[in-house]
């Protein structure tokens, strides 16, 4: 709270010019900004996709481009917001920090230690974090100002409603493959011609099979066992090193400016026995705690600056210190309560200790095995022998193409190595390939299959099936067009259907999502122009594997006023949002177009 609310600057700021990564209209985006954006993007992807996302998608190289692009877009919006005079007040930002659930303890109270810990994970200081959420605030103001002012005119609304809520009257008959199946004939010449014209489709790409040895910390962890004696020894060691740092329930009054007159007045009021909580409410400059009587909750002495901590530990419970100076200002400190910290039990620690010991052992083995793997695999005749000597397992991928295979063979770095000149042409074992910092692999070719054109006999059935579908559709299209011509000449569509024993249907006032009609057919019916001069619009429509339909569109109904007013208003609000977001995208495109960006 002290650093976040008082706005004290970090002592570890670096020169941004030395770390410049991108300049946007003269404003510097630092390498630290890029690293932080990469970390944020990686966490978002891990939270969304979990373990299902391939490791190569989370590398810095993979994330750097999108992260820089997002930083540039952010900088452009911030600059536009500042030109528009948009600002975020300190009170608003302080409130946002204090109300953020991630910074609160189980009781829902702001926790300074949790706040500092989370910020350090993403390489923020309190001041840079406050600056970042201030920028978020002005960006939100700008985007809301654009999006919320989008609107649809009454005429546009009527037109869109008429398009989306119109209904149509139509009749149709359907033609399916059974009608022409006996007429389809595929000759040998047809098959050979198709085979020659589509040879690329029947070409099997080159394939390689490799043996590989995978070495990973996680894989080693599973093979390590920890005895009960080792667990208890580690627990005893941890217990001996356990620091029983007491926790203090602390309140304070902060005079940020070191105003001597104000410090004297606070000191006098406390000496006269006035309530510490009431003095804090009236005089403290710590906006995060003053309304709570200066209460900072429980913390250890190490959570505070040295002078603050020394004064705190010297106090008895209920006692208030004299004025104490820190970089943040002058404090009056009250120790409300004190409690010790008990070490966890062995049973509570068992699982964590077991994993910790196995992890440390695995990391040590990993480093040692990695060096041996590099030495033994170099010029090795077979990886099976190397695996046996290292106590690992050699596996084989089976034939894979450049598109990859399953499991580890789906990793792009693995596939690239498998088809490298060193492995594919020279027949050597690959270098050790780092898939992740704690996972490596070495591979060596065991089989190679050249790219080849599959023989005609092998693909004949596929060709016949494809040609059958094509010729069936051609015959159906021809028959549908003949029926269309008959109806346009004045014949009845229903009479033709009855004469040829075809399926016939008639629908009135059908909407775009009418469930009783084939969706593909319905979509095409609503794409047709309406009838003219009292004559239906007739059209032959393809339905894919379902055959063909011949449709006679007889009426289009556009009753705009029939839509209930509340539904009309809801549509208008949705369109306002759509238009507003479209205008925002236009603004972003314009800002990017006129910007001077130097990477």
């Amino acid at each position: 709270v002290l650093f976040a609310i008082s706005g004290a600057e970090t002592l570890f700021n670096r020169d941004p010019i030395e770390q410049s990564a991108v300049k946007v209209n003269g404003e510097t985006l630092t390498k630290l900004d890029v690293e932080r954006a990469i970390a944020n993007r990686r966490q978002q992807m891990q939270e969304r996709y979990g373990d299902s996302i391939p490791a190569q998608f989370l590398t810095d190289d993979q994330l750097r481009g999108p992260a820089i692009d997002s930083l540039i877009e952010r900088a452009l919006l911030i600059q536009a917001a500042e030109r528009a005079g948009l600002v975020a007040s300190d009170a608003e930002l302080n409130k946002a920090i204090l109300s953020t659930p991630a910074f609160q303890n189980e009781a829902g109270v702001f926790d300074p230690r949790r706040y500092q810990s989370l910020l350090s994970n993403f390489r923020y200081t309190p001041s840079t974090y406050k600056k970042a959420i201030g920028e978020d605030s002005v960006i939100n103001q700008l985007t809301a100002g654009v999006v919320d002012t989008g609107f649809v005119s009454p005429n546009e609304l009527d037109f869109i409603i008429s398009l989306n809520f119109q209904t149509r009257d139509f009749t149709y008959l359907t033609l399916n493959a059974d009608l022409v199946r006996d007429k389809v004939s595929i000759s040998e010449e047809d098959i050979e011609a198709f085979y020659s014209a589509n040879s690329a489709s029947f070409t099997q790409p080159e394939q390689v099979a490799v043996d590989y040895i995978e070495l990973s910390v996680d894989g080693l962890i599973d093979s390590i066992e920890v005895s009960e004696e080792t667990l208890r020894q580690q627990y005893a060691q941890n217990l001996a090193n356990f620091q029983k740092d007491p926790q203090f329930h602390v309140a304070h009054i902060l005079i940020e400016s070191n105003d001597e007159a104000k410090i004297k007045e606070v000191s006098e009021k406390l000496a006269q026995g006035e309530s510490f909580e009431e003095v804090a409410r009236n005089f403290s400059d710590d906006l995060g705690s003053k309304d709570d009587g200066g209460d900072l909750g429980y913390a250890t002495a190490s959570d505070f600056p040295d002078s603050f901590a020394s004064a705190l530990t010297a106090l008895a419970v209920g006692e208030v210190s004299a004025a104490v100076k820190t970089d943040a200002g002058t404090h009056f400190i009250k120790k409300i309560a004190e409690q010790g910290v008990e070490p966890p039990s062995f049973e509570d620690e068992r699982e964590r200790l077991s994993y910790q010991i196995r992890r440390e052992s695995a990391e040590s083995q990993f480093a040692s095995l990695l060096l041996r793997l590099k030495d033994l695999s170099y010029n090795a005749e077979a990886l099976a022998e190397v695996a046996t000597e290292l106590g690992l397992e050699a596996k084989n991928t089976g034939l894979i193409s450049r598109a990859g295979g399953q499991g580890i063979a789906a990793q792009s770095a693995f596939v690239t190595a498998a088809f490298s000149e060193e492995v594919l042409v020279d027949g050597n074992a690959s270098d050790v390939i780092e898939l992740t910092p704690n996972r490596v692999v070495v591979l060596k070719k065991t089989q190679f299959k050249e790219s080849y054109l599959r023989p005609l006999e092998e693909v004949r059935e596929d060709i016949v099936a494809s040609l059958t579908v094509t010729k069936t559709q051609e015959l159906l299209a021809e028959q549908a067009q003949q029926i269309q011509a008959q109806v346009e000449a004045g014949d009845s569509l229903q009479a033709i259907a009855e004469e040829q024993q075809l399926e016939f249907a008639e629908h009135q006032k059908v909407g775009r999502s009418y469930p009783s009609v084939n969706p593909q057919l319905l979509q095409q019916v609503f794409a047709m122009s309406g009838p003219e001069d009292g004559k239906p619009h007739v059209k032959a429509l393809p339905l894919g594997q379902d055959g063909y339909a011949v449709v006679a569109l007889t009426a289009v109904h556009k009753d705009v006023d029939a839509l209930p007013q509340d539904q009309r208003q809801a549509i208008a609000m949705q369109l306002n949002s759509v238009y507003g977001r479209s205008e925002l995208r236009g603004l972003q495109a314009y800002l990017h177009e006129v910007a001077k960006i130097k990477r």
Side-chain angles (χ1 to χ4, degrees):
V1 173
L2 299 178
F3 292 117
I5 306 304
S6 67
E9 293 295 330
T10 175
L11 296 176
F12 304 104
N13 284 339
R14 302 177 185 175
D15 182 358
I17 301 301
E18 293 179 356
Q19 302 180 73
S20 176
V22 183
K23 284 193 175 182
V24 182
N25 293 327
E27 178 184 344
T28 296
L29 302 179
T30 68
K31 292 180 179 177
L32 178 58
D33 292 328
V34 175
E35 291 170 7
R36 188 183 293 129
I38 290 172
N40 287 337
R41 199 172 188 89
R42 181 182 292 113
Q43 183 183 35
Q44 291 168 1
M45 295 179 71
Q46 287 173 328
E47 289 175 352
R48 173 176 291 188
Y49 301 108
D51 296 335
S52 64
I53 186 169
Q56 66 265 29
F57 289 176
L58 299 176
T59 63
D60 284 3
D61 288 343
Q62 185 76 19
L63 297 176
R64 180 170 285 103
I68 290 176
D69 290 341
S70 67
L71 284 175
I72 291 172
E73 295 301 327
R74 177 183 172 86
L76 292 173
L77 287 174
I78 292 170
Q79 292 168 2
E82 290 174 346
R83 289 195 297 270
L86 302 177
V87 295
S89 70
D90 274 348
E92 176 187 341
L93 299 180
N94 293 337
K95 183 178 179 181
I97 291 171
L98 294 173
S99 61
T100 301
F103 301 150
Q104 297 173 349
N105 59 25
E106 290 74 11
V109 178
F110 180 83
D111 187 335
R113 290 175 299 172
R114 183 174 295 186
Y115 173 63
Q116 291 278 10
S117 175
L118 288 174
L119 260 57
S120 65
N121 286 343
F122 290 98
R123 302 183 67 181
Y124 278 112
T125 65
S127 58
T128 57
Y129 178 72
K130 191 171 183 179
K131 178 176 181 290
I133 65 171
E135 292 171 346
D136 288 340
S137 178
V138 297
I139 288 175
N140 290 338
Q141 292 177 51
L142 176 66
T143 55
V146 175
V147 173
D148 293 348
T149 54
F151 69 94
V152 58
S153 70
N155 286 341
E156 287 177 311
L157 182 60
D158 286 344
F159 176 70
I160 291 170
I161 288 174
S162 72
L163 283 179
N164 284 275
F165 292 91
Q166 67 175 237
T167 57
R168 298 192 166 202
D169 299 346
F170 60 94
T171 60
Y172 68 95
L173 59 78
T174 53
L175 306 167
N176 59 50
D178 292 338
L179 298 172
V180 296
R181 197 178 307 278
D182 295 339
K183 300 177 182 179
V184 174
S185 175
I186 309 297
S187 67
E188 187 63 28
E189 289 75 12
D190 293 332
I191 295 172
E192 292 176 356
F194 187 91
Y195 180 71
S196 298
N198 297 276
S199 58
S201 301
F202 304 120
T203 299
Q204 177 68 46
E206 61 181 351
Q207 295 176 296
V208 65
V210 296
D211 276 343
Y212 66 93
I213 300 173
E214 180 182 359
L215 173 63
S216 71
V217 170
D218 289 341
L220 294 171
I221 287 176
D222 295 337
S223 64
I224 296 172
E225 294 183 359
V226 181
S227 68
E228 182 75 7
E229 181 182 0
T230 303
L231 284 174
R232 291 195 176 274
Q233 287 175 351
Q234 183 63 54
Y235 176 74
Q237 181 179 335
N238 290 356
L239 200 60
N241 296 330
F242 183 78
Q243 298 294 326
K244 294 185 177 181
D245 290 339
Q247 286 194 326
F248 303 106
H249 188 180
V250 187
H252 82 140
I253 298 168
L254 171 65
I255 311 301
E256 207 170 42
S257 59
N258 292 319
D259 184 332
E260 292 297 335
K262 192 173 180 181
I263 292 171
K264 182 179 179 181
E265 185 176 3
V266 169
S267 182
E268 289 174 351
K269 287 184 177 297
L270 293 173
Q272 292 167 5
E274 289 196 25
S275 164
F276 185 93
E277 291 75 13
E278 193 61 32
V279 176
R281 292 188 185 96
N282 293 329
F283 291 91
S284 181
D285 292 325
D286 183 352
L287 300 179
S289 68
K290 65 180 297 181
D291 291 339
D292 294 324
D295 194 337
L296 296 176
Y298 274 95
T300 62
S302 61
D303 293 324
F304 300 104
D306 290 343
S307 56
F308 190 110
S310 296
L312 173 63
T313 54
L315 293 173
V317 173
E319 190 177 0
V320 177
S321 73
V324 177
K325 286 189 177 181
T326 71
D327 290 342
T330 299
H331 309 262
F332 292 87
I333 306 164
K334 180 178 181 180
K335 183 189 287 186
I336 301 172
E338 180 177 344
Q339 63 183 21
V341 179
E342 293 301 321
S345 69
F346 175 73
E347 290 305 322
D348 289 340
E349 284 286 276
R350 176 189 291 275
E351 186 174 342
R352 189 188 69 81
L353 288 174
S354 174
Y355 179 80
Q356 175 188 330
I357 294 169
R358 288 186 293 121
R359 178 87 190 181
E360 291 173 355
S361 176
E363 288 175 348
S364 176
Q365 288 185 36
F366 178 83
S368 175
L369 289 172
L370 179 58
L371 292 175
R372 294 182 63 199
L373 178 62
K374 289 179 179 179
D375 290 339
L376 294 174
S377 62
Y378 184 73
N379 286 335
E381 289 295 324
L383 292 186
E385 298 174 1
V386 175
T388 300
E389 185 164 345
L390 295 177
L392 300 174
E393 182 182 2
K395 300 178 182 178
N396 192 277
T397 59
L399 288 169
I400 60 170
S401 69
R402 292 181 184 271
Q406 301 295 318
I408 196 171
Q411 297 269 1
S412 60
F414 186 97
V415 176
T416 299
F419 283 91
S420 66
E421 182 175 353
E422 179 184 27
V423 174
L424 193 64
V425 179
D426 299 339
N428 297 327
S430 70
D431 292 332
V432 173
I433 302 157
E434 184 179 291
L435 301 179
T436 68
N438 292 319
R439 185 187 183 202
V440 299
V441 66
V442 172
L443 49 90
K444 184 178 177 66
K445 179 183 71 176
T446 58
Q447 183 183 358
F448 176 71
K449 200 169 185 179
E450 293 276 5
S451 173
Y452 67 95
L453 180 64
R454 296 168 65 189
L456 175 57
E457 291 308 313
E458 187 178 318
V459 297
R460 177 182 293 275
E461 289 185 7
D462 294 337
I463 294 175
V464 170
S466 179
L467 287 174
T468 299
V469 171
T470 301
K471 292 207 170 188
T472 298
Q473 289 297 102
E474 289 173 355
L475 290 172
L476 289 175
E478 183 181 336
Q479 186 172 344
Q481 287 160 6
Q482 290 174 355
I483 295 173
Q484 175 182 333
Q486 289 179 257
V487 177
E488 288 174 340
D491 290 353
S492 164
L493 187 63
Q494 183 173 4
I496 294 173
E498 291 173 353
E499 179 184 344
Q500 298 187 21
Q501 297 182 334
L502 301 174
E503 181 183 348
F504 176 83
E506 181 176 3
H507 296 284
Q508 293 185 336
K509 292 194 174 182
V510 169
R512 293 180 180 271
S513 57
Y514 193 67
S516 299
V517 178
N518 181 317
Q520 188 176 4
L521 171 62
L522 197 59
Q523 183 179 5
Q524 294 184 84
V525 168
F526 273 87
M528 293 170 60
S529 57
E532 295 181 3
D533 300 327
K535 293 183 178 181
H537 182 183
V538 183
K539 192 171 185 180
L541 302 174
L543 301 179
Q545 296 293 331
D546 294 329
Y548 257 82
V550 180
V551 175
L553 177 59
T554 55
V556 176
H557 306 287
K558 300 180 180 180
D559 192 358
V560 176
D561 296 331
L563 195 68
Q565 187 61 26
D566 59 342
Q567 194 172 350
R568 181 184 178 90
Q569 289 176 347
I571 293 170
M573 292 177 63
Q574 290 177 355
L575 289 172
N576 290 343
S577 177
V578 170
Y579 283 15
R581 294 188 180 282
S582 176
E583 289 166 6
L584 177 61
R585 288 192 295 271
L587 171 63
Q588 290 174 300
Y590 169 75
L591 293 174
H592 204 284
E593 181 181 345
V594 300
K596 294 180 179 179
I597 300 171
K598 183 178 180 181
R599 295 178 182 253

